[in-house]
Amino acid sequence: MATVHLRIGDLVWGKLGRYPPWPGKVVSPPKDLKKPRGKKCHFVKFFGTEDHAWIKVEQLKPYHPHKEEMIKINKGKRFQQAVDAVEDFLKKKEKQGGKEQDLTDSDPEPSSVERLGGLGTTGPVSGFKWESSVGGTRLTARLSTSIQAADSTAINGSITPTDKRIGFLGLGLMGSGIVSNLLKMGHVVTVWNRTVEKCDLFIQEGARLGRTPAEVVSMCDITFSCVSDPKAARDLVLGPSGVLQGIRPGKCYVEMSTVDPETITELSQVISSRGGRFLEAPVAGSQQVSNEGMLVILAAGDRTVYEDCSSCFQAMGKTSFFLGEVGNAARMMLILNMVQGSFMATIAEGLTLAQATGQSQHTFLDILSQGQMASTFVDQKCQNILQGNFKPDYYLKHIQKDLRLAISMGDTANHPTPMAAAANEVYKRAKALDQSDNDMSAVYRAYIH
């Protein structure tokens, strides 16, 4: 296999998650941004955006040898703007006699990129095997919005978008990423949000605006909703100008909010009473995972609606499960979030106990990352805690809500949930400390105040 050496300053094509290969430049990372453990990678700044990321060497290809084939497979407007930015950079560099404009540090130990010719493809570029990004998810200093809005093909090949008209209600942390991916993959989407200003970005990207939930449902064949809690889900359907007023025979309604089985059953019944078709489809993931189009979708209800949503689920997620009758997806989702919330509280407890007993929290994390519990989730959450970064990726108030609903579900089934109950008390303490709108990892603060 041929080897291509990369150094700081080299132009490359970088593959980020399920997004298209994008032109970038190998640069020196910020001093406070550590290289992911155990990974051979380079820090890349992407052209035409303000985005940057650690990219594994297997995902990097030299710019010039692959320029023509990349341009053939990517036709999006933003992609072309990025290529134009590369050409402008090269012209300026040539005028300056080949001198770099920024960050020209040499790399004393260049990594290598292996060419995988003759092995077939798993992505759109012939002769190369594109893999997912570092550790299974992207490790960046900021959210990659520009690349996400670009035209592209999915990691498993092109998605043929349904010709059905799609509606989407709720543009919060999760909904925004979902809508971005639906639009990027070519779906016709009409959006609504209680705060209408949140719709502006998506209108610019080609979405249509609905004035009320009822109007969106009446205009669309399939309408998704993703809101914060059971009350919000009920109000959206049953309230003034709500979903129910727009439901007609054959209209499909997909509830993606994480709520209790009783709420799901009620919504299913009222939608069906008007001749509508109902599917629940809560999602496992976070804001970052939603933006990357790598959610896990848990569906239950009308199987034909699940099948009609196929291209939508491909656009927003890496996999989906059909779990049978209405209520099963809600139950499974609450169990998953109960485990995640309890685990996060335990990690926070360990970090603070380490500090209280004179142990290095950084060393604790280093040891944890080398053991059986090592995961991207643990690494990212712990790193954010140690940096004091509690920007929400999944709201603390929402994970506490999920714990509360899971405990209630356990009561209904007469099944003990003592671990979840203990974790729930810690999250309630964090909420009392005004951490509701921070990330779930802010449960850490419940142990230090």
Side-chain angles (χ1 to χ4, degrees), residues 321-352:
F321 295 84
F322 185 77
L323 303 178
E325 65 182 23
V326 164
N328 283 345
R331 295 181 185 95
M332 185 68 80
M333 191 72 254
L334 289 177
I335 295 168
L336 289 169
N337 282 0
M338 178 190 75
V339 172
Q340 185 179 53
S342 300
F343 183 52
M344 183 69 254
T346 301
I347 292 296
E349 192 169 295
L351 278 169
T352 51

Side-chain angles (χ1 to χ4, degrees), residues 6 28 32 39 47 122 204 258 264 281 314 344 356 385 388 399 405:
L6 293 176
S28 295
D32 59 348
K39 306 293 181 182
F47 283 89
T122 58
Q204 294 172 16
T258 300
I264 282 294
Q314 288 180 61
M344 183 69 254
I385 287 173
I399 200 69
L405 294 177

Side-chain angles (χ1 to χ4, degrees), residues 58 62 101 137 147 178 180 195 215 238 380 409:
E58 293 88 353
Q101 293 173 281
T137 57
I147 291 178
I178 292 172
S180 177
T195 307
E215 182 178 86
L238 304 173
Q380 290 182 335
M409 187 170 69

